[in-house]
Amino acid sequence: MKKAAPTTSSVTGNQFSALRKIKRSKSDPAESSSPANTAKRARQEEQVLEEADRIIASHSPKPKKAAQPLQRLFEPVYGAVANSEEHAISLIGLKMGEFAPFQGAALVSVVKGAVSIAGAVMVASEDKEKPSFLPCYSPKSSSFLVIESVPIPSASALNATPSSNHYNHAEEVRISDVIATLMNKLTKCGDVFDTILAVKSIESSGIFSIGKRAPLFKDLFKLTVLSELNRDARVNIEGFSLVTEPNHPHSILNIPPSWTDATNQILEAPTSPVVCIIGSKGLGKSTLSKHTLNRLLSKYTQAAFLDCDLGQPEFTVSGQVSLHVLRDPILGPAFTHLKQPLQSCYLGATSPKNDPDWYISCIVELWRVYLAKIGRAVPLVINTDGWVKGMGFDLLVHALKQIRPSHVLQLGVDSMSSAALAKNIRDDLAAILHTPDQPASQVQIMNAEGFDDSLQRGSSKYNAQDLRSLAMISYFAQCGNVDSFARICITDAGYKCPPIWKFSSSIASRTPVSVPWNAVKLRFLSVEVPFSQSLVALNGTLVGLVEDSTPYETSKPTSDAETEPTDLKIIPSSIQIPPQSQNCVGLGIVRGIDPVSKLFYIITPVPLEQLKRVNLILRGPGVEFPASIWTDGFENVRSAVPYITYTAAEGIGAIAKRPRSNLLRKKNI
């Protein structure tokens, strides 16, 4: 009987059969001893040995990781919550590994142990007389935040140097005494809690009244109770509800393990990292950016944030690229923590497609400002937009080559997913960014799991335009320069958060600021507007308020002076504004124009001290404020509404505004 020729062994059965194959090959009498066969056999044996080494290495015992506590949903048992209705304070007891999703907003402080919220680790303060509270916002427009009991870290810069905003010295009842009383109630129940959290009302901030200005968002912070499970938690804080139902239909923020592994590796970097988050839209770049920022703030006392996303920025309204310095973690969606940037450039569009060169110039300028004013000792997180195809990918690569971050977190979905072709970046960024002549400046590419919209349960009903409208309404309702996310140290149990938003009156009814025509220059971005139509194109629009240090030769009227606004100083769109000479201090709405007194009337939350430095008004074509601002306050008016017509639009350049499918009928408001 003829002996069968030896076949290549498979590693799917017994993975160590490759070693036996080598032995059989050496003793097989059927093999020829010719030089050619000997060389071929040697190459085969070398390949098999390499495969065997790989198999043995994969089965070698690996160092064991520290045991992690088993995660379980918070159970609203008797004694886990203690309330003080008089002072609007509640204590919540958690055991190690227990997590509690919540909807609403509140001030949160750790009394015992440590908790993790959106990547931020909060530990109990050593100063029991002045506990520090952080604002947390968990509305229905995004996934619910989760409070998780975690082991106390070895060191935490987060609580070592708190940047508190408010102290209350004229206390009647000390908050430390109220907390001590509630602690006794928890311990009397017999349960031993590893973590105890203090929750205080933030109702006086005004955030719960946002539905008055936009009916679409009226239930943003109100939890819909689907069963009696949620009623047993009994946290008597207005606007704060624990989600204790195991299968609540709304999505809950779940941090993928790949995010934790990536941020752990970044935190182990010997120098302050520069981290860039990239990926297609809808994968969770903003969430990962905040998570990375919060993790960095657990090690560093401050961190910088460069926001390159024009459509969905994190700290400003759409249409800007901006640079920020932060000292407190970000616990909430974008509209809850809008702030004045260190430096900002206004592009007036939600996409860089109209002027990509100007977009890149602004990013490079903000990177230069980071190096000059902040320094590489402070870590930096860069959030990019979701345009990663065609020209968008070219812009991304150009920006990465200019900045050369230390780490790039690339979000994507499973290659077997139906969304992989549209969502994943297929180009090899490591090869594109590799520089053989500069080995010390190599960019480390790290892949991370992105959110797959097709697999998400209970995703938000609000689209990107709704979120932009939400940020716009929140921005124009701001009161002064109070940071909505800054740490607060409280001594008085009766302390109330100062007003941060004012939603009691419509935005259009606010008192505008009068600006003389000759005090500012005008520029229309990406378009050329006839001089005679300048006031028409500017009235009732959203504009950027900019400090500009560059002199320009403004255009002169050429026709009859009676029909031309001769006192206007307009910069032609053909003249590019150097990004290093401008800084956008905020946005405004041109409420009206007085051609007799030659005044602009502008509604803006920017303080008067900063407005005095504004000398340039930019009108962009791609950012609109929501329709609710036009109609707010006129719901019961049957006469004409300013800037609104129900007939066909007339006049030069007249066109219907973008149609909206999410406007509520009056009977549904």
Side-chain angles (χ1 to χ4, degrees):
M1 184 175 180
K2 188 176 180 180
K3 186 176 181 180
T7 58
T8 304
S9 62
S10 173
V11 296
T12 56
N14 185 352
Q15 296 190 357
F16 293 94
S17 62
L19 297 178
R20 291 196 297 272
K21 176 186 174 183
I22 300 172
K23 185 176 181 180
R24 287 198 305 268
S25 298
K26 290 181 178 180
S27 60
D28 193 346
E31 292 289 336
S32 173
S33 59
S34 65
N37 288 337
T38 302
K40 180 179 179 181
R41 186 168 59 252
R43 287 194 300 270
Q44 291 177 344
E45 292 177 357
E46 184 178 355
Q47 293 175 357
V48 172
L49 286 173
E50 291 177 355
E51 179 68 15
D53 291 339
R54 186 190 64 80
I55 295 171
I56 294 173
S58 65
H59 285 73
S60 299
K62 299 180 180 179
K64 295 183 179 180
K65 295 183 179 180
Q68 297 294 326
L70 182 64
Q71 290 187 336
R72 58 185 181 277
L73 183 65
F74 171 77
E75 299 177 1
V77 297
Y78 175 75
V81 177
N83 299 290
S84 173
E85 297 185 12
E86 179 184 358
H87 302 101
I89 300 175
S90 295
L91 293 191
I92 303 173
L94 299 171
K95 296 183 178 180
M96 187 59 62
E98 203 168 29
F99 66 93
F102 71 94
Q103 180 181 6
L107 296 173
V108 174
S109 178
V110 180
V111 178
K112 176 185 176 182
V115 299
S116 173
I117 305 177
V121 178
M122 303 165 56
V123 300
S125 174
E126 296 181 358
D127 189 353
K128 303 300 182 182
E129 299 298 320
K130 296 179 182 178
S132 62
F133 286 76
L134 278 172
C136 294
Y137 305 90
S138 181
K140 199 180 296 183
S141 60
S142 57
S143 299
F144 291 157
L145 294 182
V146 177
I147 302 170
E148 182 183 355
S149 174
V150 297
I152 299 176
S154 57
S156 177
L158 179 65
N159 294 84
T161 55
S163 56
S164 57
N165 264 11
H166 311 286
Y167 288 90
N168 197 318
H169 297 284
E171 64 270 11
E172 296 181 359
V173 179
R174 300 184 67 85
I175 193 171
S176 57
D177 296 336
V178 176
I179 291 177
T181 302
L182 296 177
M183 287 277 287
N184 291 332
K185 291 183 180 180
L186 288 177
T187 55
K188 285 181 180 179
C189 299
D191 286 333
V192 178
F193 299 106
D194 299 286
T195 299
I196 297 178
L197 198 71
V199 181
K200 186 166 177 57
S201 174
I202 200 174
E203 184 180 9
S204 56
S205 68
I207 189 62
F208 299 140
S209 302
I210 191 170
K212 293 181 179 180
R213 304 279 64 88
L216 180 66
F217 307 116
K218 64 179 180 180
D219 293 328
L220 210 56
F221 291 94
K222 184 179 180 181
L223 180 67
T224 302
V225 179
L226 303 179
S227 70
E228 291 299 318
L229 289 175
N230 267 316
R231 301 186 187 277
D232 294 336
R234 304 188 185 282
V235 179
N236 295 333
I237 300 296
E238 184 66 27
F240 180 89
S241 303
L242 293 176
V243 181
T244 56
E245 295 164 329
N247 297 309
H248 195 277
H250 192 81
S251 61
I252 294 173
L253 182 60
N254 183 22
I255 302 300
S258 60
W259 292 19
T260 304
D261 295 339
T263 50
N264 285 340
Q265 188 174 347
I266 291 171
L267 289 175
E268 294 173 357
T271 58
S272 298
V274 176
V275 186
C276 185
I277 316 294
I278 66 172
S280 184
K281 62 180 181 180
L283 291 180
K285 292 188 303 299
S286 296
T287 304
L288 178 55
S289 297
K290 288 184 289 187
H291 178 79
T292 305
L293 183 68
N294 291 340
R295 291 294 307 276
L296 288 172
L297 287 173
S298 67
K299 178 180 179 180
Y300 300 90
T301 57
Q302 60 180 349
F305 191 90
L306 176 55
D307 204 336
C308 306
D309 191 348
L310 292 174
Q312 300 286 343
E314 193 62 40
F315 297 101
T316 64
V317 180
S318 301
Q320 304 175 66
V321 290
S322 55
L323 178 64
H324 306 262
V325 178
L326 303 136
R327 295 174 177 82
D328 294 312
I330 308 303
L331 306 178
F335 78 93
T336 64
H337 50 249
L338 302 177
K339 69 187 298 289
Q340 177 64 36
L342 174 67
Q343 191 85 5
S344 173
C345 297
Y346 185 72
L347 286 83
T350 58
S351 171
K353 63 182 180 181
N354 290 333
D355 200 344
D357 293 335
W358 172 240
Y359 173 72
I360 288 295
S361 298
C362 292
I363 293 177
V364 173
E365 172 59 20
L366 293 180
W367 167 250
R368 188 197 64 80
V369 173
Y370 161 75
L371 295 176
K373 295 185 178 181
I374 303 175
R376 289 299 300 268
V378 177
L380 174 66
V381 177
I382 305 172
N383 182 34
T384 61
D385 62 8
W387 191 17
V388 295
K389 304 294 183 182
M391 189 202 309
F393 181 75
D394 295 337
L395 292 175
L396 174 63
V397 171
H398 190 80
L400 291 176
K401 287 184 176 180
Q402 291 289 328
I403 296 175
R404 299 205 62 80
S406 60
H407 301 79
V408 172
L409 293 184
Q410 179 175 324
L411 287 172
V413 298
D414 192 313
S415 58
M416 302 301 294
S417 170
S418 59
L421 184 61
K423 295 286 188 180
N424 290 350
I425 298 176
R426 291 174 292 173
D427 299 86
D428 187 359
L429 282 176
I432 294 174
L433 300 175
H434 181 66
T435 53
D437 55 332
Q438 298 178 1
S441 64
Q442 299 304 326
V443 180
Q444 184 175 357
I445 310 295
M446 308 169 69
N447 294 318
E449 178 185 354
F451 296 136
D452 190 345
D453 295 337
S454 62
L455 302 177
Q456 292 297 308
R457 175 179 60 87
S459 57
S460 173
K461 66 177 182 180
Y462 303 104
N463 56 34
Q465 181 61 40
D466 295 332
L467 298 181
R468 283 194 284 268
S469 300
L470 192 58
M472 191 80 68
I473 294 171
S474 173
Y475 175 77
F476 281 102
Q478 287 179 322
C479 301
N481 280 331
V482 180
D483 281 343
S484 58
F485 60 93
R487 186 187 306 273
I488 304 172
C489 285
I490 302 175
T491 58
D492 183 9
Y495 170 85
K496 291 186 177 181
C497 178
I500 301 175
W501 294 274
K502 184 181 179 181
F503 296 109
S504 58
S505 59
S506 65
I507 295 174
S509 66
R510 305 290 173 85
T511 302
V513 178
S514 60
V515 180
W517 289 5
N518 58 9
V520 294
K521 300 179 290 290
L522 304 177
R523 186 172 187 268
F524 296 93
L525 300 173
S526 303
V527 293
E528 197 70 54
V529 177
F531 201 90
S532 60
Q533 299 298 313
S534 300
L535 297 182
V536 178
L538 196 64
N539 196 23
T541 62
L542 183 74
V543 295
L545 307 176
V546 178
E547 300 177 54
D548 187 25
S549 59
T550 304
Y552 300 96
E553 293 183 3
T554 56
S555 59
K556 304 288 186 181
T558 57
S559 57
D560 189 354
E562 293 182 359
T563 61
E564 299 285 358
T566 56
D567 287 348
L568 291 179
K569 296 182 288 186
I570 300 180
I571 302 171
S573 60
S574 58
I575 299 178
Q576 191 66 274
I577 302 176
Q580 62 270 19
S581 67
Q582 71 154 301
N583 179 31
C584 180
V585 301
L587 302 184
I589 297 175
V590 181
R591 182 66 176 85
I593 300 176
D594 187 349
V596 177
S597 302
K598 298 181 179 179
L599 294 173
F600 297 117
Y601 293 98
I602 299 177
I603 298 173
T604 179
V606 178
L608 187 60
E609 295 76 16
Q610 290 180 309
L611 283 177
K612 292 179 180 179
R613 301 194 298 268
V614 172
N615 58 359
L616 175 63
I617 293 179
L618 298 179
R619 165 74 169 104
V623 179
E624 300 175 354
F625 49 84
S628 60
I629 292 182
W630 297 95
T631 59
D632 190 14
F634 296 94
E635 290 83 2
N636 299 320
V637 176
R638 295 185 180 273
S639 58
V641 178
Y643 306 105
I644 296 293
T645 179
Y646 298 98
T647 61
E650 298 178 355
I652 299 176
I655 189 173
K657 290 181 68 66
R658 185 181 305 173
R660 297 278 182 255
S661 59
N662 56 2
L663 298 181
L664 300 179
R665 295 182 179 271
K666 184 178 179 180
K667 65 179 182 180
N668 297 327
I669 297 178

